[in-house]
Amino acid sequence: ILGGRVARQGAWPWQCSLQSGQSGHVCGCVLIGTKWALTVAHCFEGREKAHLWKVLLGLHNLDHPGVHSQRRGVRAITVHPRYNRAVVDYDISVVELDSEVEETEWVRPVCLPGTNQIPTPDSYCYITGWGHMGNRMPFKLQEGQVRIISMSQCQSYFDMKTITARMLCAGYEAGTVDSCMGDSGGPLVCEELSGGRWTLFGLTSWGSVCFSKVLGPGVYSNVSHFTPWIHQQIFMRTYLPD
Amino acid sequence: CASTSCDTRHHNCTGCEPISLELCMNLPYNHTRFPNFLGHVSQRESSVSWESSLFPALVQTGCYQYLMFYACTLLVPKCDPLSLSTVPPCRSLCRTAKEKCESVLGIVGLQWPDDSDCAQFPEEGGDSTCLLPEAGVDECSPSHFKCRSGRCVLASKRCDGLADCDDRSDEDHCGCTERSLWECPGSGVCIKTSMICDGIPDCPLLADEVNCSACGDNELACNNHKCVHRTLWCDGKKHCTDASDEWDCVSLTQSSGSILTVQRTADHYHVCADEWNQQLSKLTCDQLGLGVPASVSMVPEQGGPPGRRRWLHVHPEWEERKGSALQARLEKRSHSCHSGKRVALVCVRDKCGLRPAMDARLSRQKR
């Protein structure tokens, strides 16, 4: 996260880290059920085998998993069949953990939005992750507040690439607070107006080269577009496993 | 050689053949003969040759208006239908093309094709016929888009979001057709033709996924448009390859007190409350993704003669059917429900989206 700050320990209990072999942290992910997480499809390019991955939850410092952290293997990865790596469209995948997490204050799923429920443009939401900070990679989870940007306005920042209905833009024209490399798959969450509950509206997907002088908002996978698909994948894996 | 007029070197064996090289499909002649003036022995060899890549790229520089015509007279020379011999380009055409475009190639360190020595071609007006661009010759090949300025750019550059014509005309009027895409009816959204009727909605109002199935009277269409017999619908087993016969088989009516409704054989049923239990309530809320059961009630059926009710009962062996969806744990019965009561269920979202309580010292620090 660029322009963010260190998050309070346990503040974002749905944030998880997707790790692979010797590489350690590769992408962020988001817990949506006791054995289900979401991340973006591009994290699995060239490495779609489930056994290569593990998921760390309840984590704050990447280097020092504390007593509250939990670790799970990955049973299955479902990349969206429409994922297009050239234009980073349909950038979403469902991750099935090899066993249920123990739900605690530190490890808890986020709410999924209703179908096509989108946050209001100009409202403020939060992004989190262990991605690049512009000058270094952090050890501790970072958080940043970003503004939701309308699709038409976002399109004007990225005239070379099309912003589709599967994408959501958030951030600032000046790029002051933005997601960056290593944040991919992590959450963009907004608090309900009545307060209390947080809903997952985006997954960090792409943007301009975040630590260059080419600035602009970040682009997130629009989770509410995929809500029925996510439910179907979970239903099929749970009740129709054969 | 099939032709007796040919020698044994397997050269000049074929007669005139229709032009199939896409680059040169808009020439003022339709037939060619091989070998061509670049030494290629077939249209296939010609199509994968260095020159068939070089000339279309060079055309984009706008170095010579008739460069593509000249290139095609070399790649697929005209075949004279009477003499069955090839007709070369005129020497002046060759010289003009070379004079105007060789230097452009030199800038990027490339050489003019060796086999196109202009001295080999006849002068116009001499004894033998040769080709010159006549009025109406297309300056751009079918693989090119002609800019308003007259320049040719590769057709693949049309409507790609980047201006390739000097006057940006390749980015004008970029509708779906211009981009070789399909326009969703009723909206300006363009999708690939391969996305039509593939089971994944891409157009607003699912317009790309309508009228895609032709199922029989006893069948229903899966989401991917395959047909499955209606008696197999919502039986807890996957019959559609995309499992869509088992989606949305369970619902809670929003309008009339959260009554549990289950589909079997493509019909809606209420669930008889006689054998209902808490585990099934939990399964139902879980399957619907709605959290945990908050309340269960047994609601008397209202209206209509009792004998005509359509009831589903809990299967006697429901416990053995572990891991399967609610619809698999119910069975269809023809007789009525003993209590005459149906299941009503309210689910509440569990603890999703809740963050730990903030430390008061951090959140309300006095100034």
Side-chain angles (χ1 to χ4, degrees), chain B residues 260 273-287 291-298 314 318-319 326 329 343-348:
Chain B
L260 175 60
D274 290 354
E275 306 93 353
W276 193 253
N277 61 64
Q278 183 61 21
Q279 277 175 277
L280 292 171
S281 298
K282 186 175 179 305
L283 171 69
T284 307
C285 292
D286 195 31
Q287 182 175 326
V292 291
S295 69
V296 190
S297 52
M298 311 306 165
V314 176
W318 67 271
E319 275 184 298
L326 177 69
R329 302 196 186 200
V343 176
L345 184 62
V346 177
C347 305
V348 292

Side-chain angles (χ1 to χ4, degrees), chain B residues 41-235:
Chain B
V41 297
S42 66
Q43 292 200 64
R44 178 169 169 70
E45 188 184 339
S46 191
S47 70
V48 296
S49 66
W50 158 242
E51 291 85 356
S52 72
S53 298
L54 176 77
F55 283 118
L58 194 54
V59 163
Q60 296 188 85
T61 66
C63 59
Y64 177 43
Q65 186 182 6
Y66 296 113
L67 179 69
M68 205 59 224
F69 174 74
Y70 169 66
C72 287
T73 63
L74 302 180
L75 287 163
V76 281
K78 180 180 179 180
C79 180
D80 183 69
L82 297 175
S83 65
L84 299 182
S85 59
T86 53
V87 182
C90 295
R91 193 177 297 174
S92 63
L93 172 63
C94 175
R95 282 191 174 144
T96 312
K98 192 173 180 179
E99 276 168 23
K100 293 193 170 197
C101 296
E102 189 174 24
S103 57
V104 179
L105 273 186
I107 293 170
V108 289
L110 295 174
Q111 284 192 328
W112 193 252
D114 291 336
D115 292 334
S116 59
D117 176 17
C118 296
Q120 69 180 304
F121 302 129
E123 299 274 13
E124 63 260 39
D127 292 342
S128 53
T129 55
C130 61
L131 293 171
L132 283 173
E134 300 157 9
V137 162
D138 283 323
E139 296 157 27
C140 305
S141 84
S143 302
H144 286 98
F145 168 74
K146 189 172 184 178
C147 307
R148 236 188 339 265
S149 63
R151 192 163 160 178
C152 308
V153 295
L154 285 175
S156 58
K157 306 270 185 183
R158 169 97 170 107
C159 294
D160 66 350
L162 293 168
D164 297 286
C165 292
D166 39 6
D167 55 7
R168 301 181 67 91
S169 55
D170 58 318
E171 296 301 319
D172 289 345
H173 311 298
C174 287
C176 300
T177 314
E178 288 80 1
R179 289 186 280 160
S180 305
L181 297 171
W182 187 73
E183 184 171 334
C184 298
S187 69
V189 177
C190 308
I191 63 168
K192 289 181 191 168
T193 49
S194 61
M195 292 177 169
I196 304 168
C197 291
D198 69 346
I200 304 175
D202 298 283
C203 292
L205 304 174
L206 319 182
D208 56 320
E209 297 296 326
V210 295
N211 303 326
C212 298
S213 309
C215 298
D217 289 344
N218 291 325
E219 292 177 321
L220 292 170
C222 306
N223 213 43
N224 60 8
H225 311 296
K226 302 274 188 307
C227 299
V228 162
H229 199 276
R230 59 193 299 133
T231 56
L232 301 174
W233 219 256
C234 291
D235 64 352

Side-chain angles (χ1 to χ4, degrees), chain A residues 107-184:
Chain A
V107 178
R108 179 173 290 165
V110 71
C111 301
L112 279 178
T115 306
N116 296 325
Q117 176 193 353
I118 50 166
T120 322
D122 298 328
S123 62
Y124 288 87
C125 297
Y126 278 86
I127 53 173
T128 50
W130 288 278
H132 211 281
M133 296 171 66
N135 52 358
R136 66 182 178 89
M137 294 292 281
F139 293 107
K140 293 178 180 174
L141 182 66
Q142 303 286 306
E143 66 180 28
Q145 192 184 45
V146 286
R147 194 175 66 202
I148 302 296
I149 292 171
S150 70
M151 203 172 193
S152 56
Q153 194 184 346
C154 186
Q155 187 69 70
S156 67
Y157 295 119
F158 298 104
D159 54 350
M160 300 300 165
K161 279 197 172 182
T162 305
I163 304 296
T164 68
R166 279 76 59 187
M167 299 171 192
L168 188 68
C169 296
Y172 304 90
E173 186 177 2
T176 43
V177 182
D178 199 4
S179 47
C180 198
M181 278 68 168
D183 290 320
S184 277

Side-chain angles (χ1 to χ4, degrees), chain B residues 312-330:
Chain B
L312 279 181
H313 288 256
V314 176
H315 197 282
E317 295 169 355
W318 67 271
E319 275 184 298
E320 280 75 58
R321 301 184 164 203
K322 282 180 184 167
S324 56
L326 177 69
Q327 58 267 32
R329 302 196 186 200
L330 302 171

Side-chain angles (χ1 to χ4, degrees), chain A residues 8 10-14 81-82 90 103 105 108-111 160 192 196-198 232 235-236 238-240, chain B residues 162 195 198 200 202 236 242-243 246-247 283 286-287 323-325 327 349-356 358 362:
Chain A
R8 188 168 49 86
W12 307 103
W14 37 83
R82 193 67 104 219
Y90 294 90
E103 207 173 308
E105 280 214 333
R108 179 173 290 165
V110 71
C111 301
M160 300 300 165
E192 276 180 6
R197 280 186 193 271
W198 292 75
Q232 284 162 11
F235 173 78
M236 281 198 288
T238 306
Y239 298 105
L240 304 166
Chain B
L162 293 168
M195 292 177 169
D198 69 346
I200 304 175
D202 298 283
D242 61 0
E246 297 298 323
W247 297 344
L283 171 69
D286 195 31
Q287 182 175 326
S324 56
Q327 58 267 32
R349 284 195 296 179
D350 46 15
K351 291 180 179 173
C352 78
L354 293 178
R355 298 172 66 191
M358 294 281 280
L362 290 174

